[in-house]
Amino acid sequence: MNQKGILVVVSGFSGAGKGTLMKKLITDYPNYALSISMTTRQPRAGEVDGRDYFFVTDEEFENRIANDGMIEYAGYCGHYYGTPKDFVEKNLEEGKDVILEIEIQGAHKVRAQYPDAVLLFVMPPSAKELHNRLTGRATETEEVIRQRMLRAVEESEGIDTYDYIVVNDKLEDCIAQINTIVNAARHTPSKNIEFISEIRKELKEFLGSR
Ligand code: 5GP
């Protein structure tokens, strides 16, 4: 059976640990491909262009939109973020499970275009732990941390449109849960339409030949 890959949308409050989770997930399992987003925000210390994001100007970003080169894009805390289309399409076609680590507005746009996508929300174990993680990062000012926590309150209103929630308490457990969810998605009827019609055809042929 030659299946296309699963499109996996992973969202979660800033500081929930999605980045660390996704990096480990793709290292532990060979079936995943992580999409690299484009953004107009400045790189943080240690971030590398082309690995963490494609860091671009507003003009470059807007050109990409105009040329239909984005699956989705959204504004987040004053900057653009978007998913380049070519990487996603190519990898899904090759049977890879493609991960988009994006915020909630983008997730809704992906769902509209790819109804089979699996939408997964990563939660921190508590608000206090979220604040600790954001502070521990030491790359953002207290004002930016506050903005991100306010945004988390807003985002918490939209979580019921996701398919699954995972709590990122222990990294290893959370990764195992995500992998289980993605593997389960391979077994939905909508992901197996061709296989189902193949079996139906075989059944009819078999019956016809007896
Ligand atoms: P950060 O600035 O912390 O790297 O990312 C801020 C938020 O933007 C996170 O919630 C992240 O998931 C989201 N984000 C990153 N890339 C994309 C993207 O391509 N599209 C959308 N809609 N959101 C993104």
Side-chain angles (χ1 to χ4, degrees):
M1 229 190 336
N2 213 350
Q3 257 195 352
K4 269 178 83 171
I6 310 273
L7 186 56
V8 188
V9 176
V10 179
S11 305
F13 307 145
S14 177
K18 288 161 297 175
T20 316
L21 275 172
M22 295 310 111
K23 285 195 181 82
K24 182 141 176 60
L25 185 72
I26 57 166
T27 320
D28 288 0
Y29 300 96
N31 53 304
Y32 294 103
L34 184 60
S35 156
I36 301 169
S37 295
M38 244 176 214
T39 184
T40 57
R41 85 151 161 74
Q42 292 299 307
R44 294 189 188 117
E47 282 183 332
V48 176
D49 185 43
R51 185 193 69 189
D52 299 288
Y53 280 105
F54 295 108
F55 295 100
V56 296
T57 61
D58 279 14
E59 196 188 347
E60 285 171 296
F61 198 101
E62 283 160 7
N63 275 340
R64 191 35 98 137
I65 299 170
N67 294 325
D68 193 27
M70 293 285 194
I71 285 183
E72 62 74 37
Y73 65 93
Y76 180 96
C77 297
H79 299 287
Y80 277 135
Y81 292 80
T83 307
K85 194 186 261 182
D86 37 8
F87 177 90
V88 174
E89 294 287 348
K90 177 174 170 285
N91 279 277
L92 285 178
E93 212 47 62
E94 287 172 4
K96 288 268 184 186
D97 302 318
V98 178
I99 300 175
L100 309 183
E101 192 214 308
I102 64 179
E103 53 66 70
I104 206 158
Q105 304 166 36
H108 291 157
K109 291 184 202 157
V110 171
R111 159 127 302 159
Q113 288 172 68
Y114 299 83
D116 281 353
V118 175
L119 269 59
L120 219 146
F121 202 93
V122 180
M123 292 288 262
S126 67
K128 188 163 183 293
E129 178 59 25
L130 184 71
H131 186 259
N132 284 346
R133 288 181 191 173
L134 283 168
T135 317
R137 223 184 229 176
T139 50
E140 264 122 2
T141 60
E142 199 46 53
E143 177 47 32
V144 171
I145 291 174
R146 199 183 145 69
Q147 258 186 40
R148 286 177 178 246
M149 291 191 83
L150 278 170
R151 174 73 186 217
V153 176
E154 273 172 44
E155 291 195 334
S156 71
E157 304 284 346
I159 299 177
D160 54 357
T161 57
Y162 280 71
D163 300 311
Y164 299 97
I165 286 179
V166 285
V167 177
N168 184 15
D169 194 356
K170 291 206 184 77
L171 188 72
E172 302 288 341
D173 292 353
C174 196
I175 285 169
Q177 284 165 6
I178 293 172
N179 193 48
T180 303
I181 290 168
V182 176
N183 281 324
R186 254 182 264 290
H187 298 274
T188 60
S190 66
K191 274 304 226 182
N192 292 280
I193 287 170
E194 280 174 27
F195 178 61
I196 296 167
S197 71
E198 206 176 291
I199 293 280
R200 188 186 306 116
K201 189 167 148 253
E202 280 179 12
L203 278 167
K204 286 181 180 164
E205 279 168 10
F206 185 84
L207 287 169
S209 70
R210 289 172 68 97

